Amino acid sequence: MFTQTDFGNRLREFRKRAGLTQKEAGMKIAVSEQAISKWENGECLPDVYHLKLLAQMLHVSADCLLDTENESDEKVVETIRVGGAVFEIVEKSEVILAGKILYAKDYPNIEKFYEAINAMPENGGVPELSALQEMVLPIRDIQLSVNFWRAEESRAYGFVREVVTEHQPQGMDIYKNPASLYIRAYTDSYMAQLMTKEECEIWELFTYIRDYFMPNHGFTMADNGAQELEVFDTSEHRSGYAYMPVMRVTRQ
């Protein structure tokens, strides 16, 4: 059910992602800082005119600001526990990813490709991502690794967000990630314990999933072009989900 509080939370998230203060947002649409504060605190809703201005300013649709019940593009079909760690088997539909993506084919050799990756902003801090249009809520920074288990020349790497439309600002790269089955795991303390660590990063989960979890639970790497995703749930990129594309092994 839609509530004023839900709208306010969405508005606040989009405003912060755009790097605007309440005062700056108000100035852009000719309202007071207090009006922005009231909307974000759920005290009232903007009229239709100001709703449209908010959507234009934040590069989203009005429907996106209002819709609190977006259908998920993924479905958990199985949950497997290893000690206290939880691994979810997820069916994920095709999604559109937009952002800054580097392709190995555009570099003279694989070493130059990796140099370009290392030169990208730390923690995926690509400021242009705030200009993406119609981002899917909740907004998540995603680190995309393409074909790193295949031939070197087919590899790609980038920082992206999920969006509704391929129509994005000039300079933004688009990647359509195909539907696939994934193993999803989260960087909590139980997962870190599996690797005999106090804390773990998302990229470390891929090795454990590939080398230990998959062979022990009847999975192999997907061959449909789906990609590894690091989906961060904080702006500091300290935690989040690893998505590993897989297929079930057919038992003879």
Side-chain angles (χ1 to χ4, degrees):
M1 179 182 296
F2 177 82
T3 69
Q4 292 181 185
T5 300
D6 291 330
F7 174 83
N9 290 337
R10 283 171 176 261
L11 176 59
R12 181 181 295 109
E13 181 177 4
F14 275 119
R15 173 181 60 77
K16 289 184 175 180
R17 289 283 181 167
L20 298 172
T21 65
Q22 290 182 335
K23 183 176 182 180
E24 290 168 338
M27 290 178 63
K28 284 180 175 293
I29 62 170
V31 299
S32 67
E33 178 181 356
Q34 290 73 23
I36 299 292
S37 177
K38 287 183 177 180
W39 294 337
E40 291 187 351
N41 291 331
E43 297 177 25
C44 60
L45 293 170
D47 58 31
V48 174
Y49 174 73
H50 286 106
L51 176 63
K52 182 177 180 180
L53 292 180
L54 285 169
Q56 291 175 342
M57 174 181 68
L58 299 172
H59 304 290
V60 299
S61 67
D63 285 342
C64 190
L65 280 175
L66 293 171
D67 185 6
T68 61
E69 296 180 344
N70 282 328
E71 291 186 7
S72 176
D73 67 341
E74 58 189 51
K75 176 184 178 183
V76 178
V77 296
E78 185 179 357
T79 299
I80 300 173
R81 294 182 179 273
V82 179
V86 175
F87 295 84
E88 296 173 309
I89 313 306
V90 176
E91 291 178 348
K92 190 172 178 64
S93 60
E94 180 184 84
V95 297
I96 302 171
L97 303 173
K100 305 302 292 184
I101 304 174
L102 305 178
Y103 290 88
K105 63 180 177 61
D106 295 330
Y107 294 84
N109 54 58
I110 198 66
E111 287 75 23
K112 292 296 183 182
F113 172 59
Y114 288 134
E115 287 178 11
I117 291 175
N118 292 331
M120 295 186 80
E122 290 186 14
N123 290 333
V126 181
E128 295 90 342
L129 295 186
S130 62
L132 292 174
Q133 298 188 31
E134 297 199 46
M135 290 180 279
V136 173
L137 289 180
I139 297 172
R140 296 285 187 249
D141 290 337
I142 301 172
Q143 190 167 299
L144 171 70
S145 298
V146 179
N147 293 337
F148 271 67
W149 64 91
R150 295 182 176 179
E152 290 182 348
E153 62 272 13
S154 68
R155 295 177 185 176
Y157 180 91
F159 292 103
V160 296
R161 291 176 182 167
E162 186 176 343
V163 294
V164 175
T165 175
E166 297 181 56
H167 300 291
Q168 298 296 332
Q170 186 174 5
M172 289 291 114
D173 301 307
I174 303 296
Y175 190 89
K176 295 182 74 172
N177 203 40
S180 185
L181 190 69
Y182 285 84
I183 294 172
R184 181 174 72 186
Y186 186 71
T187 55
D188 58 19
S189 59
Y190 295 108
M191 204 65 67
Q193 288 173 14
L194 290 181
M195 290 172 279
T196 64
K197 301 182 68 174
E198 292 186 2
E199 296 180 348
C200 64
E201 296 187 49
I202 300 177
W203 62 267
E204 296 176 285
L205 301 183
F206 291 122
T207 300
Y208 182 90
I209 293 171
R210 181 174 53 249
D211 294 346
Y212 299 99
F213 184 87
M214 286 169 55
N216 288 326
H217 293 88
F219 294 94
T220 187
M221 188 67 69
D223 61 1
N224 63 352
Q227 310 306 332
E228 295 176 353
L229 303 172
E230 296 180 49
V231 182
F232 300 98
D233 62 355
T234 66
S235 58
E236 297 82 11
H237 296 181
R238 293 177 179 171
S239 62
Y241 290 90
Y243 283 78
M244 175 74 81
V246 296
M247 300 183 297
R248 294 187 188 272
V249 176
T250 302
R251 301 186 184 279
Q252 299 282 327

